[in-house]
Amino acid sequence: MTAATLPAWQKRRSALNHDWLKNRFIPALAKWLNLLDDEVEDPDFELAFLRTVLPQWAERRADIRALLDDFEWQMSPVNLLPEESDDWLIGLVHALWLQRRPVRCWVDEAGGRFADVNRAYQELLDQLRLEEPHEASAWLRPLRPAFARFCECCQRLARCLEVFPSEIRIP
Amino acid sequence: MSLPPLLPRLLIVDDLFGRSLHDRRNEERASLCGQYLLEDVTGDQVQRGPQQRIKNPIAQAVFHRGQRPLRARVGDLVENDLEEVLRVIRSGWTEPAAGQTCWSLVLLDLCFHTGSVTDASNRETAGMPEGQEADEQPQHYFGLQILRAIQQTMPDLPVILLSSHARDEVSQVFSRYGALGFLAREAAESPELLRDFLHRHGLIPDAAGLIVGQARPLLIALRAARRIARARGNVLIRGERGCGKELLARYLHQHSNATGGGRPFVTVNAGALSKELYGSTLFGHQRGAFTGAVADRVGVIAQASGGNLFLDEIGSLPPEIQAGLLRVLEYGEVAPVGAEQVQKVDTRFLSATNDDLDLQAAHGAFRSDLLDRLRLGGTLVLPPLRDRLADLPALVERFVREAEARTPGALIRRIDPDALDVLASYHWPGNVRELAICIANTVCEYPDVEHLVPVHLRLPAPVKGNRPPAVLVGAGSAAPVDQAQGLAELLARIQAFSFEGQRREHLIGKLPELQAALAGLLRRCLHAALELTARVGSSGDGPLRLEVLIHPALKLLTGDPRLSAATAADLIKRIMRLAPDDPDVLPADPLLREAYDNAQRLRPRKPRTRKTASETDG
């Protein structure tokens, strides 16, 4: 038995992981790495990257953290029970779900990846602060390893978020 | 001079990257192109300010939204448009524009968002609708509908899924619908992944320029060769005469991971070997193994160990050699003639034939167990030229430039479109080799012209039957319709011709005329044999050139399979010296000239000739 419509959590994940992280943020980071490697020229993007692209992580990370925190209860099969269900039944169904599916492992794993991204982001910011306040990519080439590390962490987080089920199922 | 290799051409069908915007460029698309190093050639980008430039693009990309309208504003209803997607795909697949290849790969998104464009959805991503629940459900993915339609109508089209959604959800379905792979949007090392997909699945021309052409049947053969190249299995290459089997073998060798980088590529023409030389040539021999074996000789199989051996005309291998070859293929051992010990080899056989070896095997003329081993790694089939006439302009360009470079004083000429039309109307039974010879002759005969026009072309007569009609043009094209019948009639007339009763005045000065006619006839006959047995080759990465093979040509002409190479050279020199006026002046025909040069190299001593009456008298 599954829910007839897409759960709200799945919609949030779709907006965050597919629409933003995978389709926009990671391609922009990957393009930036190619720009640092002198494979790509894009003066507009070069000017905009540090000001508008990179800070998107700081703007969105709270949403991603909330997505992880909400998963256990929003995707629990208790959401399929009638509203008037007894507390013992709700507790039993949820416990069975936790027992049969590695729900908390998924969340912990994704939480670890999320923390990795935050750490890589902070390291990147620390290194950027040491640099002169300019935006020319040539001057930022020494920071390429830090940008690459941040990009890899984002890629791992995106893959990790994909592992979560997209439907609510009775265990 | 060679044309620059074309970049592979991708079609990316995706609602996010394919959408066009009214007043600014699609930043998501620009990022994707920057990520995968693609040159955007869609032509719908808003030109404002400095644009993105990819310095060394992997491929060109055309983007299509797959929906209508392509440019959506707030309030518009966005709907999937299967009919239009298929039209766009088909147009670049079956009828690519001039100078463009067909789609090398199609990258296809899975989930397409539909519905109304609202203020909120437009603010989040310009021109995108808010989406409906069914869009996100795997069983309703529009990408899978497109994939299914492609499978039904264009099954050869290589499709890779490019998606941010989970592969597991659709892996079984996309395999069933014929997709070749799945490229995750967030993939690390994206350019390398795309390069790898293009290498394995893409229909891409030969970037090295060894094989000229971008017609779909050729590109499919090249892809098959690249796929096979990575393994070490023996490969059988099939195709009509003159369609470039050796070049395909070289291409395969160049794409062999294990065999590239200086590993040997050895060629041998089984059809040109005398019976006595088969064993020695293939397996080698020890000194004293037979009369004339004055030193040890390493056979071609051992020479090619670690690399590839190209064995042309494999169908002409005699039975006893087939048995010996079977042992090599089965045990990886070679026994040189006269040797007591075997030698281990690691040689991959790339065999070529235009014979129907299955038929020969069915009749017992070719060992079926050998045939199985020769094609264990796969069979490649090269298309005939008539099935890739789209490549004619590029091939003619290449051959004209090469012929001009070979012909002293030849002018650089433009190729008239009418001349291409004429060439395209011929059915080319001798395929690319025949075209190369035709062009070489044309340039040689008309070195001082600046335009290649139909009147310069000499094409043989059309063949009766269901072949495409040939167009006869140029001087001397009035050849008999049935060449074999015409030759038989000519021979009969010569043999029956009598000079009895001729009046004295009719015979005055006829000997030089008869000699000249006979010399011309024999040279044309020799030319035909050289043409049939020549091969198009190249030295390493150098340009293509015709290689004249005098030994097989004279074996063909004499009908004597035991004819020695020395006798063949002597015969060629005699034919060349038959002309009465000035026997040292060789014809302009490049094939005959090269044959004569080869014969002189092989037999530098002049063949003994009878002294003329005047010499005797003197």
Side-chain angles (χ1 to χ4, degrees), chain A residues 11 14 17 21-22 31-32 34 38 47 51 53-54 61 67 70 81 85-86 90 120 149 152 161 166 170:
Chain A
K11 289 180 189 170
S14 185
N17 196 32
L21 189 56
K22 286 186 175 185
K31 173 178 167 178
W32 175 251
N34 284 332
D38 206 25
L47 285 172
R51 262 185 283 170
V53 178
L54 192 61
R61 62 181 160 191
L67 185 77
D70 293 347
L81 297 174
S85 298
D86 292 338
I90 292 171
R149 164 91 184 130
E152 283 163 22
L161 288 173
S166 53
I170 293 288

Side-chain angles (χ1 to χ4, degrees), chain B residues 436-516:
Chain B
I437 293 166
C438 170
I439 297 297
N441 289 343
T442 300
V443 172
C444 183
E445 195 166 351
Y446 296 95
D448 299 318
V449 297
E450 286 151 325
H451 292 267
L452 175 66
V453 292
V455 75
H456 296 156
L457 299 167
R458 289 188 181 206
L459 296 178
V463 174
K464 284 180 179 174
N466 58 1
R467 298 279 200 183
V471 175
L472 291 175
V473 287
S477 62
V481 171
D482 187 326
Q483 298 277 5
Q485 189 187 343
L487 185 58
E489 284 173 4
L490 177 68
L491 281 172
R493 284 178 69 89
I494 289 173
Q495 284 162 1
F497 195 85
S498 170
F499 289 90
E500 280 180 24
Q502 292 281 349
R503 295 170 59 158
R504 177 187 166 84
E505 59 268 30
H506 288 161
L507 292 177
I508 296 172
K510 287 301 166 196
L511 188 58
E513 282 183 33
L514 276 171
Q515 276 183 301

Side-chain angles (χ1 to χ4, degrees), chain B residues 120-317:
Chain B
S121 70
N122 193 58
R123 206 167 31 250
E124 179 69 17
T125 310
M128 287 295 280
E130 54 187 352
Q132 302 181 69
E133 288 208 348
D135 300 336
E136 299 262 355
Q137 292 168 337
Q139 65 271 31
H140 294 126
Y141 280 158
F142 181 52
L144 292 180
Q145 282 184 49
I146 299 172
L147 186 61
R148 190 167 197 182
I150 289 172
Q151 188 192 36
Q152 288 167 351
T153 57
M154 293 167 270
D156 291 334
L157 181 73
V159 182
I160 300 285
L161 295 181
L162 173 70
S163 179
S164 59
H165 285 74
R167 177 189 182 123
D168 295 347
E169 289 174 348
V170 291
S171 64
Q172 191 189 17
V173 180
F174 86 66
S175 300
R176 197 183 305 151
Y177 289 173
L180 297 168
F182 190 100
L183 195 51
R185 288 269 173 79
E186 76 281 7
E189 308 296 330
S190 329
E192 286 69 28
L193 270 179
L194 181 59
R195 270 198 194 95
D196 188 51
F197 271 122
L198 276 167
H199 183 87
R200 286 186 287 137
H201 302 302
L203 298 180
I204 49 178
D206 176 19
L210 181 68
I211 299 178
V212 175
Q214 58 198 45
R216 190 151 34 106
L218 176 71
L219 299 186
I220 288 173
L222 295 182
R223 180 179 63 182
R226 290 195 306 276
R227 284 173 169 170
I228 283 177
R230 292 185 174 189
R232 281 290 284 161
N234 299 320
V235 179
L236 182 66
I237 303 174
R238 295 179 53 207
E240 294 180 7
R241 66 182 167 93
C243 64
K245 295 186 281 293
E246 183 174 341
L247 286 184
L248 187 66
R250 287 184 185 277
Y251 178 83
L252 191 153
H253 176 72
Q254 286 175 358
H255 285 84
S256 306
N257 284 347
T259 56
R263 298 296 182 93
F265 179 78
V266 180
T267 68
V268 61
N269 185 346
L273 291 176
S274 68
K275 197 175 175 182
E276 294 75 21
L277 283 177
Y278 266 118
S280 173
T281 304
L282 291 176
F283 309 126
H285 65 241
Q286 275 207 332
R287 181 182 172 189
F290 49 84
T291 308
V294 293
D296 289 353
R297 177 182 181 178
V298 180
V300 290
I301 295 172
Q303 284 176 37
S305 188
N308 294 302
L309 173 65
F310 177 67
L311 201 50
D312 202 2
E313 297 187 41
I314 188 77
S316 59
L317 278 182

Side-chain angles (χ1 to χ4, degrees), chain B residues 281-453:
Chain B
T281 304
L282 291 176
F283 309 126
H285 65 241
Q286 275 207 332
R287 181 182 172 189
F290 49 84
T291 308
V294 293
D296 289 353
R297 177 182 181 178
V298 180
V300 290
I301 295 172
Q303 284 176 37
S305 188
N308 294 302
L309 173 65
F310 177 67
L311 201 50
D312 202 2
E313 297 187 41
I314 188 77
S316 59
L317 278 182
E320 59 272 26
I321 299 298
Q322 290 181 29
L325 203 54
L326 190 62
R327 183 171 179 81
V328 177
L329 296 175
E330 203 160 346
Y331 301 107
E333 292 174 352
V334 166
V337 178
E340 290 178 359
Q341 291 194 329
V342 295
Q343 183 182 351
K344 279 282 178 193
V345 290
D346 173 27
T347 303
R348 174 163 67 175
F349 285 75
L350 310 176
S351 311
T353 185
N354 57 11
D355 298 328
D356 186 343
L357 289 187
D358 283 304
L359 192 65
Q360 286 192 17
H363 289 124
F366 200 88
R367 293 185 67 131
S368 53
D369 47 1
L370 176 62
L371 179 57
D372 289 343
R373 283 168 177 79
L374 286 173
R375 61 185 177 193
L376 207 58
T379 299
L380 299 174
V381 182
L382 260 177
L385 181 55
R386 63 180 172 279
D387 288 350
R388 43 177 289 223
L389 286 176
D391 290 337
L392 205 65
L395 287 166
V396 171
E397 175 79 21
R398 160 78 71 98
F399 294 144
V400 164
R401 300 304 160 228
E402 287 177 0
E404 286 167 349
R406 279 199 306 267
T407 309
L411 298 179
I412 306 296
R413 67 208 62 206
R414 287 173 179 274
I415 299 158
D416 192 303
D418 290 349
L420 289 176
D421 289 345
V422 168
L423 291 168
S425 68
Y426 180 56
H427 64 285
W428 300 108
N431 293 294
V432 179
R433 182 196 298 147
E434 187 183 9
L435 174 67
I437 293 166
C438 170
I439 297 297
N441 289 343
T442 300
V443 172
C444 183
E445 195 166 351
Y446 296 95
D448 299 318
V449 297
E450 286 151 325
H451 292 267
L452 175 66
V453 292

Side-chain angles (χ1 to χ4, degrees), chain A residues 71-85:
Chain A
F71 173 75
E72 182 176 326
W73 282 102
Q74 288 199 4
M75 292 296 281
S76 167
V78 299
N79 292 288
L80 299 176
L81 297 174
E83 279 190 17
E84 62 275 15
S85 298

Side-chain angles (χ1 to χ4, degrees), chain A residues 148-164:
Chain A
R149 164 91 184 130
F150 177 60
C151 184
E152 283 163 22
C153 288
C154 288
Q155 286 165 332
R156 288 199 196 107
L157 173 64
R159 281 196 289 275
C160 205
L161 288 173
E162 206 56 66
V163 171
F164 289 81

